[in-house]
Amino acid sequence: MMKITRYFKYFMIIFVAIIFKGTLGTKEHYDLFERLFSNYTSHIRPVYHKDTSTNVSMKLFLSQVIHLDERMQTLKSNSWLTLIWIDEYLRWRPENYNGITNLKVPSSKIWMPDITLYNNAGGNYYNFMEDRVVIVTYEGVITWASPMIFTTYCKINVNAFPFDKQTCTLKFGPWQYDKSSVGIKGSDGDISVFDSDGQWDMVNISFKDEEEEYPDDPGKKFTDVEYEVVLRRRPLYYLFNLVTPCFLVSIVAMMTFFLPPESGEKISLCITVLLSMTVFLLMVAETMPPTSSVPIIGQYFAATMALISLSLAMSTCVLNIHHRSSDTHPVPGWMRKLVLCKLAHYIMPSCKLDGEESIVGKRLAKELQAWEIVDQNTVSPLMEQRHLTGNCQSSNHHQQTLKAQEDLLWKMKGEIRKIVTHYEGEAVARRVGSDWIKVARVLDRVFLFCYLIGSILTITGVVCQLY
């Protein structure tokens, strides 16, 4: 029982000591606050001599990119901002206040520099330093720190899109106080606190202190600090949703050269591919700002559209040549020599050139010569027999029979000549049509190689621009 009583006494002594110490601390903070702000005004710059300049040290940490609007060219970011300066009227001796070395007070109680975001794009210019809590040390050092969401103008360079880097600036400085009253200096930021949004990675953040003279207040120099934030885009999203489909569509466009002209689908396939490329180009145009510079992906899409349009013209030319016949004109000699004799030898070795006379024509010529021989061997004896029978004064019936046989032979000869001429004409027509078809096939392969060369040059040009 006595042990319990003794422990209880110890507990009460410790409890009272803690309460008493806390009461002393709270009272000392209250006394310190009353002493510091009894005759303090937040409207006057806190220096003892008017020639003393208040130097503000600034730190900026970019925590996250909320939205980078390429079309409106604005950056909305979540930033951590820290400002440090000296207030000569807020000083005390810690030993007089139970070792208190710092005091947290509302920002409305003290004087603060009118730091303004120069390139603000968030609508209204407002004092973002209001309604915050600041830390005051016994040496008069004021520390203002708070997370802020800034919307600033950012000049977008879309030349390398979607493999681009963007440099955005945040410019801070006093608006009313010139260099003789308030000066601001920056310090290096830290990229370790940056949290990527999945689209942008921060490469670097740097600052630059500047002094400028403005036309609205000539003769005075104002200080400012400009932070440069370098952001690199993650291109995987655009590669997967724009570049890869465009590449596959260009391959589909190449398939038109393998379609036979008889299918009737070469033109329709080219037009379908061209329309799909137009849709992709419109998607890129809706994302990019309306500037005179064309991004790399836009150049690739435009070059691919030009190649597809060229393939459409090539397919039209091939179809026009393929469907020519003897009704137009035969293949010109120079085209026959260039396309069928030279190009076909290297591009399509399987394409054989017909001779000047077709096999059917030779066969019909032999048949005609045979009929000429039959005509001579048959008609001559009949004529002699007719002459002999005429001298012997044969009967009229026999003479009429011989005359009928002679007329029949002449008619058969004429009909056979017509058949021979008809088949020879058809052979010539087939040969002329076959020549035009072979010319179309060779030109189709030539155009295919031209399309491949154009595609390779386009991809090479895009890659060279990136590196």
Side-chain angles (χ1 to χ4, degrees):
M1 186 67 181
M2 293 184 64
K3 290 184 179 181
I4 296 175
T5 304
R6 186 172 55 187
Y7 290 152
F8 179 78
K9 288 181 180 179
Y10 290 157
F11 174 79
M12 291 301 296
I13 291 172
I14 295 173
F15 179 78
V16 171
I18 293 174
I19 297 298
F20 185 72
K21 183 178 180 181
T23 304
L24 289 176
T26 302
K27 184 178 183 301
E28 289 169 354
H29 280 83
Y30 178 79
D31 292 341
L32 177 60
F33 184 86
E34 287 294 326
R35 204 273 296 178
L36 291 177
F37 294 100
S38 59
N39 295 320
Y40 186 90
T41 176
S42 61
H43 304 295
I44 305 299
R45 191 167 62 91
V47 292
Y48 290 116
H49 303 285
K50 65 181 182 63
D51 295 332
T52 303
S53 175
T54 302
N55 296 319
V56 180
S57 176
M58 182 176 181
K59 294 181 181 180
L60 179 69
F61 302 91
L62 193 67
S63 174
Q64 188 178 19
V65 173
I66 299 176
H67 182 56
L68 181 58
D69 193 337
E70 292 93 347
R71 192 166 186 83
M72 299 302 297
Q73 301 194 58
T74 58
L75 170 65
K76 188 175 183 180
S77 60
N78 181 10
S79 304
W80 299 353
L81 187 62
T82 301
L83 299 171
I84 301 174
W85 69 93
I86 294 178
D87 193 319
E88 297 181 359
Y89 291 158
L90 298 179
R91 293 175 176 174
W92 70 91
R93 292 184 177 180
E95 58 270 15
N96 296 336
Y97 296 94
N98 197 22
I100 297 176
T101 58
N102 62 75
L103 187 67
K104 295 181 177 65
V105 298
S107 61
S108 58
K109 290 292 184 178
I110 67 172
W111 174 90
M112 290 187 301
D114 60 333
I115 303 300
T116 304
L117 179 62
Y118 278 41
N119 55 341
N120 176 46
N124 298 326
Y125 281 86
Y126 66 98
N127 187 2
F128 58 84
M129 299 182 66
E130 292 181 347
D131 301 327
R132 298 291 188 272
V133 176
V134 298
I135 301 175
V136 184
T137 67
Y138 69 96
E139 295 177 339
V141 178
I142 310 297
T143 302
W144 181 99
S146 177
M148 300 295 300
I149 294 179
F150 294 120
T151 302
T152 56
Y153 290 105
C154 179
K155 187 176 180 180
I156 303 297
N157 183 6
V158 296
N159 290 334
F161 175 84
F163 308 96
D164 54 333
K165 290 182 180 179
Q166 302 298 335
T167 301
C168 299
T169 60
L170 290 88
K171 185 176 180 180
F172 297 90
W175 191 264
Q176 293 293 340
Y177 294 99
D178 61 359
K179 179 183 178 182
S180 62
S181 299
V182 177
I184 185 171
K185 290 184 178 297
S187 59
D188 289 331
D190 190 356
I191 65 175
S192 62
V193 300
F194 181 78
D195 185 15
S196 176
D197 62 342
Q199 183 179 1
W200 296 97
D201 292 327
M202 186 164 64
V203 179
N204 186 32
I205 180 171
S206 60
F207 75 96
K208 180 172 58 176
D209 296 327
E210 296 179 332
E211 294 182 5
E212 294 187 30
E213 183 176 339
Y214 296 95
D216 61 337
D217 198 355
K220 295 182 180 181
K221 289 188 176 182
F222 293 81
T223 60
D224 61 73
V225 56
E226 183 176 273
Y227 282 89
E228 288 188 354
V229 181
V230 181
L231 301 172
R232 180 175 55 227
R233 191 193 305 271
R234 293 183 178 180
L236 183 60
Y237 171 82
Y238 298 96
L239 287 176
F240 185 77
N241 291 280
L242 290 179
V243 178
T244 302
C246 175
F247 179 73
L248 294 177
V249 166
S250 64
I251 293 178
V252 172
M254 188 176 61
M255 295 296 104
T256 58
F257 296 102
F258 294 96
L259 280 177
E262 297 85 359
S263 64
E265 298 295 333
K266 293 175 73 71
I267 301 298
S268 59
L269 180 59
C270 287
I271 293 176
T272 303
V273 172
L274 187 61
L275 290 177
S276 63
M277 288 300 304
T278 305
V279 173
F280 285 119
L281 189 60
L282 289 176
M283 291 174 61
V284 175
E286 290 177 356
T287 307
M288 296 296 98
T291 60
S292 59
S293 60
V294 181
I296 290 180
I297 188 172
Q299 297 176 17
Y300 176 66
F301 283 178
T304 305
M305 288 182 63
L307 286 175
I308 295 174
S309 302
L310 186 61
S311 69
L312 179 61
M314 293 174 180
S315 298
T316 305
C317 179
V318 168
L319 289 175
N320 180 273
I321 295 176
H322 181 272
H323 291 287
R324 288 186 181 183
S325 62
S326 60
D327 296 337
T328 54
H329 56 81
V331 178
W334 63 270
M335 183 180 292
R336 188 181 186 87
K337 182 178 180 181
L338 176 63
V339 177
L340 297 181
C341 296
K342 293 185 178 180
L343 292 179
H345 178 71
Y346 297 102
I347 297 177
M348 295 183 65
S350 60
C351 183
K352 301 299 182 180
L353 182 63
D354 292 339
E356 295 295 331
E357 188 175 0
S358 64
I359 298 175
V360 177
K362 291 181 179 180
R363 187 175 62 189
L364 289 175
K366 291 180 180 179
E367 293 291 338
L368 182 60
Q369 291 177 0
W371 278 104
E372 290 289 345
I373 295 172
V374 170
D375 186 23
Q376 293 177 0
N377 295 333
T378 306
V379 174
S380 298
L382 288 174
M383 293 296 293
E384 294 176 358
Q385 185 178 1
R386 181 182 178 183
H387 180 71
L388 293 174
T389 54
N391 295 333
C392 298
Q393 298 178 354
S394 301
S395 62
N396 293 332
H397 177 72
H398 186 67
Q399 291 179 358
Q400 291 177 357
T401 301
L402 292 176
K403 186 177 183 304
Q405 291 178 356
E406 181 182 355
D407 294 338
L408 179 61
L409 288 175
W410 282 107
K411 288 180 181 181
M412 290 176 64
K413 179 181 177 181
E415 295 298 328
I416 290 173
R417 190 175 293 277
K418 290 180 182 179
I419 293 173
V420 171
T421 304
H422 172 74
Y423 276 103
E424 285 182 345
E426 285 187 350
V428 172
R430 283 195 298 270
R431 181 171 56 81
V432 172
S434 177
D435 289 345
W436 282 117
I437 291 175
K438 291 174 182 177
V439 170
R441 290 172 60 190
V442 173
L443 290 180
D444 206 14
R445 292 297 179 269
V446 172
F447 293 154
L448 171 61
F449 289 123
C450 292
Y451 184 86
L452 287 175
I453 293 173
S455 300
I456 293 173
L457 291 178
T458 300
I459 297 175
T460 304
V462 170
V463 173
C464 291
Q465 291 188 53
L466 292 176
Y467 299 99

